[in-house]
Amino acid sequence: MLPAHAGNISYAYDSLGRLIQASDLTGGQAVVYHYDAVGSISSQRIIPLGTLFIAGFSSSQGAAGSQLTINGAGFANIPSGNIVNFNGVPATVLSATQTQLVVLIPNGASTGTISVQTGSVSATSSEPFVVSPAVPPPTIAAFSPSLASPGATLTLTGGGFDTTIANNLIQMGAGPWVSADAASATTIVTRVPAKAWSGKVHLQTPHGTAVSTSDFFVAPSGYTAAGIGSTGRIAAGTPAPVSLPVTGQAVLRIFDASAGDLLSIGVSALTISSATIKIFAPDGSQLTSAVVSASNLGLQLPQLSLTGTYAVVVDGGANTGNLTLSLTAPSTGSVTVNGSPLTLNLAPAGQRAFITFTGTAGQYLTVVAAGGSFTGTISVSDSAGTQLISTTVTPSTRAGAVDLPKLAASGTYTIALNPANTTSSLQLSIIAAVPATVASDGVPMLSLSNPAARGLITFTGSPGQFVTLTVQEGTPETWGSNNIASFTVTVFAPDGTNLNQSTFMQPPVGAPTYTFACNIPGSIAGCFGNTIINLRLLGTYSQGTTFTALVTQTGGSGGSLTYQVSNPFPTNPLIVNGGSNTSFVQLPGQGWAVPITLVAGQRYALTVSETNSNVPSVYGVLYGPRGQLIAGPQMNAVCNSPCSFNNYSGSESVVGIQPLSGDTYTLILNQIPQLRGANEYGPLTGAITFTITTTP
């Protein structure tokens, strides 16, 4: 027995619980007791603690490989300072104090005395120590039954069982440890506890632990052993046929998995009309379920929170037939921006995929799931797990494209593909937005041959500046050669602010993008047309700030676009009652900046007109001397849709403009793309005539 302590007095006992030594650590001496054959104290002896002496052992016998405590005095306080021999065979000292050594009984030791040497001094025990044969650990050869419900009796057969019932502990799967009800050296009988679980059977005795080679199955909640037709184990990547020949009977399969796993179970070779699949976690709780049929061939498990054995129940109910289960982990891989596509075959149904790529801060990227049958959700997360986007994709979704927002940081990103419960095949790639180039004729353009590609236009601007961005597809001369059916244009400030949503002049504030759609019904071949974005750069920007326009194809099979960035053309001042002022613009979509000197309190009428021009429509806004927008309908000169500009001529007047102060005002006229004929837009260059007069 181990020593006990009271203050600075320590006590040591033998295997029969008798006191064999009391050591006064302060006084520096120990009292050693000896017993006669009937257990009475026959003598006692006082030994100085500095004198090497063996008083006794914690046990009179033990097997090789087990630990033994030697009590006495004069031992070295470090293990290496003590040499211990069992009948001449050296032993390993595990720990040491002045009055106690813990040693490992060595292999090859035999019954005899134990000696201890410290320095040049040695001592030998007065009694021999008996080295007993080693007791082998237990083994489980078999158990019955192999399937049971809680409360049933389970019998284990094997060897090395402890004949003391309480020394045998049994565990079924991840369930609780329970005691045996009966035990012999070769048989143990126990009862299946309420929280027992399917998996291996474990047996623990003082001499070791045994694990069964076969699985024990426990009917999950809602089922009994009688209601389970067959049992078995499935493994990821290995199809497992399942037969349901009897109505009302289910089958039970198990598999091992780890916390964090993201698994799917696909179904194939289906001859049963439908069946319910239920998944149970290692703690016995139901994790998820689904009805599988010819139209739903898979079941996706949520991310697992427990490590252990999971159970799968396939319940045909009133139906009979066969099916094959396939447990699968997600497909993994990587792609490179603008690199070769990665071929993915997601089978069986419901298999997910996690694909990584390296992105650079500031990039505008598009994930493309093309050339296949993928239908499901695609999401993209950064290295911290923050989701950037998640959207549903089908083969008809713009070539399977998913547009990412501007990357905020460089690093590794993960694309997660979560298909519907069908098999999928696809070519996965990731492409960067295509920067604009300048053609040989000096015209800036975007080449977007991939229908999923986006285009990137940059331009510089300054606070308060008016900017017009005109994006065109084709011209009357190239009509019939382009295949972009529709596209959107969105302008971003350097900080990512969507200027379309904040400072759009036309269309009205709030439109997230400006869209061009092909105006040739039933065809995308030969589309041509334009879109115009008119911005006033309101914000705390520095001079020469770079802005970005992102052009996104929303239909068609790819093509090219040209664009023009312009500022309003500065006209000569418009004189009140001074006749008309005609100004011509040569850049597509360009507007006009018309200075007008007005008198406070005076009422004015403003007329905008064109004759035989190519400007389809304009929208006018009057700004004050400090650049402020003049609010109120009486302050707007508007010539908007339809504006009587069909056939390239018409006019529009606004009467009742009454400024609050006298000064020079600025009329900004911006073009609006309008249908000019049955199949034409633009070309958005031409002359506009302005007239302003006083009115009563």
Side-chain angles (χ1 to χ4, degrees):
M1 298 181 65
L2 295 178
H5 296 268
N8 278 332
I9 306 296
S10 66
Y11 302 93
Y13 301 86
D14 63 13
S15 59
L16 298 177
R18 300 176 301 190
L19 178 66
I20 60 173
Q21 181 175 328
S23 301
D24 182 353
L25 304 180
T26 302
Q29 62 183 15
V31 179
V32 178
Y33 300 90
H34 297 278
Y35 295 86
D36 58 23
V38 296
S40 300
I41 296 176
S42 59
S43 66
Q44 61 184 39
R45 180 182 175 186
I46 298 176
I47 303 294
L49 293 183
T51 300
L52 184 62
F53 181 80
I54 297 177
F57 323 122
S58 58
S59 176
S60 61
Q61 64 179 7
S66 59
Q67 293 183 17
L68 178 70
T69 300
I70 301 173
N71 298 297
F75 302 148
N77 284 317
I78 58 174
S80 61
N82 302 276
I83 299 174
V84 179
N85 286 278
F86 281 70
N87 201 19
V89 179
T92 300
V93 180
L94 302 177
S95 65
T97 67
Q98 190 180 26
T99 60
Q100 183 183 90
L101 300 177
V102 178
V103 299
L104 197 64
I105 302 172
N107 292 325
S110 59
T111 299
T113 58
I114 297 176
S115 66
V116 177
Q117 179 179 337
T118 60
S120 60
V121 181
S122 64
T124 302
S125 64
S126 60
E127 300 291 334
F129 177 79
V130 178
V131 178
S132 57
V135 178
T139 60
I140 300 174
F143 55 82
S144 65
S146 60
L147 167 67
S149 298
T153 297
L154 178 67
T155 301
L156 310 183
T157 57
F161 300 166
D162 199 301
T163 55
T164 301
I165 294 177
N167 286 346
N168 298 280
L169 295 176
I170 304 98
Q171 183 188 41
M172 300 154 218
W177 289 92
V178 295
S179 299
D181 295 331
S184 70
T186 58
T187 303
I188 288 176
V189 178
T190 188
R191 195 164 297 277
V192 179
K195 292 187 178 297
W197 193 240
S198 298
K200 306 300 182 185
V201 177
H202 295 73
L203 170 63
Q204 187 179 80
T205 74
H207 307 295
T209 300
V211 181
S212 66
T213 56
S214 57
D215 292 305
F216 174 66
F217 294 89
V218 178
S221 176
Y223 294 89
T224 64
I228 302 296
S230 67
T231 59
R233 178 176 283 270
I234 59 176
T238 303
V242 168
S243 179
L244 293 162
V246 180
T247 60
Q249 272 199 338
V251 300
L252 173 62
R253 300 291 184 268
I254 61 174
F255 64 89
D256 293 332
S258 301
D261 285 350
L262 201 60
L263 304 174
S264 302
I265 294 180
V267 175
S268 60
L270 197 73
T271 65
I272 191 171
S273 59
S274 67
T276 300
I277 295 180
K278 299 178 182 179
I279 310 298
F280 294 86
D283 61 2
S285 62
Q286 183 173 319
L287 187 64
T288 187
S289 67
V291 176
V292 295
S293 63
S295 61
N296 185 36
L297 295 174
L299 170 65
Q300 292 183 332
L301 280 60
Q303 189 171 39
L304 304 184
S305 60
L306 299 174
T307 296
T309 301
Y310 287 75
V312 182
V313 173
V314 183
D315 190 344
N319 303 320
T320 60
N322 303 313
L323 54 85
T324 296
L325 299 177
S326 295
L327 179 69
T328 56
S331 178
T332 58
S334 63
V335 291
T336 303
V337 175
N338 293 331
S340 300
L342 175 67
T343 300
L344 291 173
N345 293 305
L346 302 180
Q351 184 186 24
R352 289 167 277 206
F354 293 95
I355 310 300
T356 59
F357 68 89
T358 300
T360 303
Q363 282 183 313
Y364 288 95
L365 302 178
T366 298
V367 176
V368 184
S373 57
F374 180 81
T375 297
T377 301
I378 294 180
S379 58
V380 179
S381 302
D382 62 17
S383 57
T386 302
Q387 191 174 90
L388 306 184
I389 192 169
S390 180
T391 187
T392 300
V393 173
T394 67
S396 61
T397 306
R398 204 182 112 228
V402 177
D403 295 323
L404 275 58
K406 181 181 179 181
L407 298 190
S410 299
T412 300
Y413 292 78
T414 300
I415 306 168
L417 295 95
N418 189 357
N421 288 325
T422 58
T423 58
S424 299
S425 63
L426 66 147
Q427 296 283 316
L428 184 73
S429 60
I430 185 160
I431 57 177
V434 179
T437 59
V438 177
S440 58
D441 59 1
V443 177
M445 65 179 298
L446 290 170
S447 296
L448 305 177
S449 57
N450 186 332
R454 293 187 287 179
L456 208 57
I457 299 170
T458 58
F459 61 90
T460 58
S462 301
Q465 189 176 29
F466 295 94
V467 176
T468 294
L469 172 63
T470 304
V471 183
Q472 300 183 93
E473 183 193 29
T475 65
E477 291 75 25
T478 62
W479 188 28
S481 62
N482 222 342
N483 295 313
I484 297 179
S486 59
F487 61 86
T488 62
V489 182
T490 308
V491 182
F492 295 97
D495 61 0
T497 301
N498 185 337
L499 298 186
N500 298 54
Q501 294 179 320
S502 59
T503 59
F504 231 162
M505 290 174 56
Q506 176 63 33
V509 172
T513 57
Y514 197 79
T515 303
F516 158 74
C518 179
N519 58 301
I520 304 177
S523 172
I524 62 170
C527 286
F528 76 91
N530 58 71
T531 189
I532 302 174
I533 296 179
N534 297 300
L535 298 170
R536 188 181 187 202
L537 303 180
L538 301 176
T540 56
Y541 308 121
S542 60
Q543 297 288 328
T545 296
T546 299
F547 296 82
T548 301
L550 198 60
V551 180
T552 302
Q553 299 180 79
T554 55
S557 56
S560 62
L561 301 170
T562 61
Y563 70 92
Q564 181 70 56
V565 179
S566 62
N567 305 115
F569 181 78
T571 72
N572 294 325
L574 183 60
I575 307 301
V576 176
N577 297 325
S580 63
N581 184 347
T582 299
S583 181
F584 185 89
V585 292
Q586 295 181 328
L587 298 177
Q590 186 178 22
W592 293 261
V594 186
I596 312 172
T597 301
L598 303 178
V599 176
Q602 178 64 58
R603 293 172 61 84
Y604 299 91
L606 176 64
T607 300
V608 180
S609 62
E610 70 168 346
T611 301
N612 296 324
S613 186
N614 290 316
V615 176
S617 185
V618 295
Y619 179 92
V621 179
L622 189 65
Y623 286 87
R626 294 180 302 279
Q628 73 274 27
L629 176 67
I630 304 302
Q634 77 276 13
M635 294 300 177
N636 290 336
V638 181
C639 181
N640 56 5
S641 177
C643 203
S644 302
F645 274 16
N646 295 327
N647 299 321
Y648 324 110
S649 64
S651 65
E652 188 82 9
S653 299
V654 173
V655 180
I657 298 174
Q658 188 173 10
L660 301 178
S661 62
D663 212 325
T664 299
Y665 290 71
T666 301
L667 173 66
I668 299 295
L669 289 172
N670 289 301
Q671 297 192 50
I672 306 170
Q674 291 281 9
L675 188 65
R676 287 180 50 214
N679 294 313
E680 297 181 36
Y681 278 81
L684 310 174
T685 59
I688 292 291
T689 299
F690 323 101
T691 303
I692 188 166
T693 59
T694 56
T695 61

